[in-house]
Amino acid sequence: MTQAEIKLCSLLLQEHFGEIVEKIGTHLIKTGSQPLRVIANDTGMSLDQVKKALCVLIQHNLVTYQLQKRGFVEYEASCSRVLRILRYPRYIYTAKTLYSDMGELIVEELLLNGKMTMSAVVRKVANRLTETMEDGKTMDYGEVSNTFVRLADTHFIQRCPMAPETTETSDAPPPPVPTLAVNEKDMYMVPNLNLIGKGKRRRSFDDEDDGEHKAKRQKQDADSKEPPPDDGIYWQANIDRFHQHFRDQAIVSAVANRMDQTSSEIVRTMLRMSEITTSSNAPYTQPLSSNEIFRSLPAGYNIVKQILDQYLTLLADDPLEFVGKSGDSGGGMYVINLHKALATLATATQESIVQERFGSRCARIFRLLLRKKHLEQKQVEDFAMIPAKEAKDMLYKMLSENFVSLQEIPKTPDHAPSRTFYLYTVNTLSSARMLLHWCYKSVANLIERRQYETKENKRLLEKSQRVEAILASMQATGAEEVQLQEIEEMITAPERQQLENLKRNVNKIDASENQVDETIFVLESYIESTVKKL
């Protein structure tokens, strides 16, 4: 684990959970698994603080625990899981794209709370949607529940592992650590709940302060202490499924850029058919026949069987090898080579970075080395048609930055330079790891910059929030336009300009974070796929 990863994890934990949780989480990432009292002793915090911080981290799947042979429990932080916090906006946006506002809010609630029961999620989402609707309209629990079921059916959300049920008559002492497990068949099975009700709006401030209403509400809460019907069945966002969707979208986009929209739609259909049947880390999709693909094409897509077969043959013959042919039954069996697709996306990313960093001529040499694998300096000059002096400078520049590597092949055991071949090559795996390290540093720098911008304008932001709160309360009480204008004038023109600049800068930083994360995802997916294949 690199220093850049640890720093980024620390910044993400601090931004989302505060200083205490950040201190405990970063300590566990640096030191590895440790028991409770050692964590408290090393961090200088009280046991109560450490316990609460660990509860938060376990709730969000950022820390795991296990019983050691000597009888004590050790806690271990997952650095890769902490880094996924950076991708939360993409998960939420994907859910919105696929399942509208309801899907967005369901995934958002699960990510914000870590684990929740279905009934709690439905109730909270219905209340939030009701608040955004016009007066007199409410959101029905049934509609939210249906979207929840659809998310579970497509595996975007899944059940959390549960502790086995224990009988009350058992005299055996409870185990020091509960063994959590979930049946594979039940992982996406939604409990049969009859959720009846509608979303509620929050009461006004007057109602909140009213003693009679408060007492009545407390009495109602006391009466409804009985557990919900799905008590103990908790749900969480399925991160791997979202990653599978991102990978599929990247492959479809690459095919569209390489060929045309029809080819990408055929590949999209093949990926959609394999969504549930193919594991997220499999190198290939399940074989699909030409007849199956034809029947699964979108209804409005007018393409005859003969044209489809021609497109499939064209895709299978393409040098990129995204689609491969695995048999002739059913009109021909086809698979998508997921590992090859990820490798192509990763090398394309590396090529674009080389071009931005060193120029188009260096990118030409880089692509040449990728295609030819090993070349001597003279061969690079000849094939790339670049003068010897320039080619030498470019190769050494990329060599110093670790984009290309030099391999020595001696003719004799003494490694004499005159009797040794020096071959330039590109090690895509090590290059991808180096770029990934740069990406982590870039995101950490962006987060620090955003925090600095916000801190520098803290006073102005607080003033703006106060003015907005006053305006909202006055509008609710029906204040006149003149009074509202007076309140708005509390923020001067230069201050408004400063706020606009701050907003623009923060939006740029947020967009940059998302763009860097897209590169991180491609590189991480490629490295993970390659390491598993090796």
Side-chain angles (χ1 to χ4, degrees):
M1 192 181 305
T2 62
Q3 287 297 317
E5 286 177 274
I6 294 170
K7 183 182 178 182
L8 180 55
C9 286
S10 174
L11 287 166
L12 289 168
L13 287 171
Q14 185 179 22
E15 198 169 40
H16 288 81
F17 302 107
E19 288 184 11
I20 294 174
V21 174
E22 179 268 324
K23 194 171 183 180
I24 301 296
T26 307
H27 175 72
L28 285 174
I29 288 168
K30 286 178 179 176
T31 57
S33 57
Q34 283 196 331
L36 179 66
R37 291 193 179 277
V38 174
I39 298 169
N41 187 50
D42 289 353
T43 56
M45 292 186 175
S46 65
L47 275 175
D48 189 49
Q49 282 179 316
V50 175
K51 284 178 184 177
K52 287 177 180 176
L54 286 172
C55 280
V56 171
L57 291 166
I58 291 168
Q59 172 76 8
H60 288 268
N61 300 312
L62 305 177
V63 162
T64 55
Y65 53 84
Q66 58 182 353
L67 184 66
Q68 295 298 317
K69 291 179 181 177
R70 287 178 285 178
F72 56 83
V73 180
E74 282 193 340
Y75 299 88
E76 185 175 5
S78 169
C79 178
S80 61
R81 189 66 183 76
V82 174
L83 291 172
R84 295 294 81 81
I85 296 173
L86 187 66
R87 213 162 284 157
Y88 280 9
R90 284 185 74 189
Y91 302 148
I92 294 166
Y93 180 73
T94 301
K96 181 184 177 69
T97 306
L98 297 174
Y99 298 101
S100 72
D101 292 345
M102 276 186 250
E104 174 193 10
L105 292 179
I106 288 169
V107 171
E108 185 180 337
E109 287 296 335
L110 288 173
L111 290 172
L112 286 174
N113 295 280
K115 303 177 178 77
M116 288 180 81
T117 60
M118 178 181 173
S119 54
V121 173
V122 169
R123 193 178 302 112
K124 206 161 186 182
V125 169
N127 291 346
R128 285 181 64 181
L129 286 168
T130 300
E131 285 186 11
T132 62
M133 297 168 83
E134 298 173 9
D135 289 340
K137 291 186 178 180
T138 53
M139 178 55 65
D140 191 70
Y141 285 177
E143 291 182 52
V144 182
S145 183
N146 290 338
T147 306
F148 192 98
V149 172
R150 287 165 63 202
L151 281 162
D153 288 342
T154 49
H155 297 188
F156 281 103
I157 58 175
Q158 62 184 12
R159 282 194 189 191
C160 302
M162 297 191 302
E165 293 183 9
T166 55
T167 54
E168 293 181 7
T169 55
S170 176
D171 296 329
V177 174
T179 306
L180 303 178
V182 63
N183 191 340
E184 198 72 35
K185 294 178 182 176
D186 299 337
M187 191 174 279
Y188 306 103
M189 189 180 290
V190 179
N192 191 13
L193 301 178
N194 190 17
L195 295 172
I196 301 170
K198 294 182 181 293
K200 296 174 184 175
R201 298 176 190 274
R202 279 185 290 191
R203 294 172 181 269
S204 64
F205 293 111
D206 297 334
D207 290 341
E208 288 292 337
D209 295 334
D210 191 274
E212 188 180 341
H213 282 292
K214 202 171 183 181
K216 191 183 289 184
R217 190 167 60 255
Q218 285 173 349
K219 187 174 185 296
Q220 286 173 351
D221 291 343
D223 293 340
S224 61
K225 282 291 181 186
E226 60 181 61
D230 61 339
D231 188 37
I233 302 173
Y234 288 90
W235 292 82
Q236 62 186 358
N238 185 0
I239 301 298
D240 290 337
R241 178 67 183 84
F242 278 101
H243 288 176
Q244 186 180 341
H245 179 77
F246 296 156
R247 180 203 66 197
D248 293 351
Q249 292 296 101
I251 291 170
V252 170
S253 178
V255 172
N257 292 334
R258 171 83 175 178
M259 294 185 175
D260 62 1
Q261 200 61 41
T262 305
S263 301
S264 69
E265 194 58 48
I266 292 166
V267 171
R268 188 196 302 277
T269 302
M270 292 174 70
L271 288 166
R272 195 182 297 121
M273 292 167 71
S274 308
E275 276 177 348
I276 309 299
T277 57
T278 304
S279 168
S280 59
N281 53 11
Y284 296 91
T285 59
Q286 294 293 327
L288 298 167
S289 71
S290 173
N291 295 331
E292 286 177 315
I293 297 167
F294 181 69
R295 286 194 297 270
S296 300
L297 282 170
Y301 218 79
N302 297 320
I303 179 172
V304 296
K305 178 70 168 58
Q306 188 180 359
I307 299 295
L308 172 66
D309 289 339
Q310 289 175 359
Y311 266 106
L312 287 169
T313 305
L314 191 66
L315 284 163
D317 292 341
D318 189 75
L320 287 184
E321 298 175 6
F322 277 24
V323 175
K325 194 171 184 180
S326 63
D328 295 315
S329 59
M333 302 293 287
Y334 296 90
V335 297
I336 292 179
N337 188 338
L338 300 172
H339 171 72
K340 183 71 178 175
L342 288 170
T344 304
L345 290 170
T347 50
T349 301
Q350 291 176 28
E351 284 176 28
S352 66
I353 291 170
V354 168
Q355 181 153 343
E356 288 296 320
R357 196 171 178 83
F358 305 112
S360 58
R361 286 189 161 195
C362 279
R364 191 195 306 172
I365 293 172
F366 190 80
R367 279 193 292 271
L368 184 65
L369 290 172
L370 282 171
R371 191 172 294 115
K372 299 288 186 181
K373 305 299 181 189
H374 295 86
L375 288 174
E376 287 186 277
Q377 185 176 311
K378 182 72 172 69
Q379 290 175 309
V380 171
E381 296 163 10
D382 294 341
F383 284 128
M385 295 182 289
I386 295 173
K389 188 172 183 293
E390 287 183 37
K392 187 177 178 180
D393 287 345
M394 290 171 186
L395 281 167
Y396 287 172
K397 199 183 291 180
M398 287 192 286
L399 185 65
S400 65
E401 296 272 3
N402 295 321
F403 280 98
V404 301
S405 54
L406 194 61
Q407 190 172 341
E408 296 181 9
I409 302 177
K411 294 180 187 176
T412 55
D414 60 354
H415 283 261
S418 59
R419 293 185 292 277
T420 302
F421 292 111
Y422 294 95
L423 302 179
Y424 287 94
T425 185
V426 175
N427 187 335
T428 49
L429 188 60
S430 64
S431 179
R433 285 195 171 113
M434 178 191 70
L435 291 175
L436 190 60
H437 176 73
W438 287 2
C439 288
Y440 289 144
K441 287 179 74 174
S442 298
V443 176
N445 291 341
L446 286 166
I447 292 173
E448 285 184 327
R449 182 67 199 182
R450 186 176 65 240
Q451 289 176 348
Y452 172 78
E453 290 277 350
T454 310
K455 190 178 177 183
E456 285 292 297
N457 295 278
K458 188 179 178 182
R459 185 198 61 78
L460 187 57
L461 285 169
E462 288 174 353
K463 182 181 178 181
S464 173
Q465 287 168 357
R466 282 197 305 271
V467 169
E468 284 175 10
I470 294 167
L471 280 169
S473 62
M474 289 182 73
Q475 283 172 346
T477 55
E480 294 179 6
E481 193 66 36
V482 180
Q483 293 174 307
L484 295 174
Q485 196 171 349
E486 284 178 6
I487 299 297
E488 284 178 358
E489 287 171 358
M490 288 171 66
I491 298 178
T492 61
E495 286 177 332
R496 285 193 187 283
Q497 185 62 42
Q498 196 175 340
L499 280 169
E500 282 296 317
N501 291 338
L502 174 64
K503 187 178 178 181
R504 188 168 57 252
N505 290 340
V506 169
N507 286 342
K508 276 184 184 177
I509 290 169
D510 289 341
S512 301
E513 274 183 48
N514 290 331
Q515 286 174 347
V516 175
D517 182 60
E518 287 177 20
T519 306
I520 288 173
F521 173 72
V522 169
L523 295 172
E524 278 181 344
S525 302
Y526 164 67
I527 291 167
E528 188 180 345
S529 171
T530 307
V531 168
K532 280 178 181 171
K533 195 175 181 184
L534 295 173

